[in-house]
Amino acid sequence: RRVHGEEEAEEITLNSDKITEIIDESMKTTLNSVTWNSKKVDQWTSNIIEHCLKRLAEMKKPFKYIVTAIVMQKTGAGLHSSFTAFWDNSADGFCSVPYENDTIHCITTVYGLKLD
């Protein structure tokens, strides 16, 4: 907490531990008991993203969130992903969590942009 004269102002930061937990729960809930099926990928990614956004909104923090999910068949092929951002490193941030089962790789990322 920062103290300004008589007032206390709570510092608001991105809670990466809680967000990692939300992402992990979303992927496991959606993908733990499934095997690769290309016809179901759109639904799986939608479920993961919607679950993450719902849980992030429940935190009631002053952030805009962007959620991405990559789901691919586990074949031994490589995947490289990168991003760049022009943002406030002291307030904005991201969490990226990988997941895999016997037939699926998934990477879900949450970007949090603090509202002014």
Side-chain angles (χ1 to χ4, degrees), residues 5 9 26 34 44 61 70 72 77 84 94:
S26 298
V34 300
W44 294 337
K61 298 292 182 185
I70 299 168
M72 65 182 277
T84 187
F94 77 100

Side-chain angles (χ1 to χ4, degrees), residues 31-104:
L31 300 174
N32 258 358
S33 62
V34 300
T35 56
W36 177 258
N37 182 335
S38 61
K39 293 180 174 95
K40 294 185 178 181
V41 173
D42 285 344
Q43 185 60 53
W44 294 337
T45 55
S46 291
N47 289 351
I48 292 166
I49 289 168
E50 289 170 15
H51 184 264
C52 284
L53 284 173
K54 179 177 183 255
R55 294 286 314 281
L56 291 164
E58 289 170 359
M59 290 171 43
K60 298 191 185 318
K61 298 292 182 185
F63 286 89
K64 288 183 185 180
Y65 297 103
I66 301 164
V67 182
T68 64
I70 299 168
V71 176
M72 65 182 277
Q73 186 174 14
K74 194 174 189 179
T75 62
L79 170 68
H80 177 78
S81 176
S82 62
F83 89 99
T84 187
F86 183 72
W87 62 18
D88 180 352
N89 285 327
S90 68
D92 304 330
F94 77 100
C95 299
S96 190
V97 181
Y99 168 88
E100 66 180 79
N101 66 22
D102 291 339
T103 62
I104 295 170

